[in-house]
Amino acid sequence: MTADPLSQTFAALADPTRRDMVARLADGDATVSQLAEPYRISLQAVYKHLRVLEDAGLVSRPPGPQPRPVRLEAQVFDLMDRWVERYRRRFEQRYRRLDAVLAELEGDHHEQDRRSPDRGRPEPAGDPDGARLRDDA
């Protein structure tokens, strides 16, 4: 099954080792041996991780003799950024609408307080039911 590029990218980055490789490559190109240094996995496993990253378009290795540098490809991040930004804008719109509703409710609350000054005041101590007022009447 062939996934769309965005799904392939997110799937590739779902693995912490691959995310770490991408983070390290953001600082500059590296050979496979250099990338493999901090991990307690075989070189073959590192190649498998790189293959997943290459298939997702996140990294590339130019053809030629070994050692070939592994290079981070920025175009894929633009695709991810557009996807994330679309949802960020939607959430921001939702929060702005929520802020407007809350501001309107707060304005209504202040208006009611202004009209009814006793509203929201605590009951007098020792007479929470207002029984004294009823008895006096």
Side-chain angles (χ1 to χ4, degrees):
M1 182 175 114
T2 304
D4 63 281
L6 187 61
S7 297
Q8 264 189 306
T9 302
F10 281 119
L13 293 174
D15 183 272
T17 301
R18 290 193 287 264
R19 281 196 309 272
D20 186 62
M21 288 178 170
V22 166
R24 292 175 54 220
L25 287 169
D27 293 333
D29 297 354
T31 64
V32 174
S33 297
Q34 290 170 328
L35 281 175
E37 283 175 9
Y39 309 117
R40 291 181 173 208
I41 57 177
S42 68
L43 198 57
Q44 184 180 8
V46 171
Y47 274 107
K48 284 184 178 181
H49 283 298
L50 285 176
R51 187 72 187 158
V52 172
L53 293 171
E54 282 179 319
D55 289 347
L58 285 160
V59 300
S60 65
R61 287 184 293 162
Q66 299 286 348
R68 297 182 300 169
V70 179
R71 175 171 302 138
L72 194 60
E73 297 295 333
Q75 302 90 336
V76 176
F77 292 102
D78 293 339
L79 178 68
M80 294 171 60
D81 190 45
R82 283 192 303 269
W83 186 84
V84 168
E85 191 57 36
R86 179 176 30 168
Y87 291 102
R88 180 191 330 268
R89 279 188 300 231
R90 286 184 185 178
F91 274 108
E92 287 173 355
Q93 288 171 350
R94 288 176 60 189
Y95 285 126
R96 280 195 294 270
R97 286 194 309 260
L98 179 61
D99 286 344
V101 168
L102 291 174
E104 187 178 317
L105 288 174
E106 189 171 313
D108 289 347
H109 181 74
H110 288 299
E111 183 65 27
Q112 288 175 353
D113 284 348
R114 202 167 50 96
R115 289 184 189 157
S116 171
D118 291 338
R119 182 184 169 135
R121 287 188 180 170
E123 296 290 330
D127 189 19
D129 298 328
R132 189 173 26 172
L133 292 175
R134 284 192 297 261
D135 292 341
D136 292 342

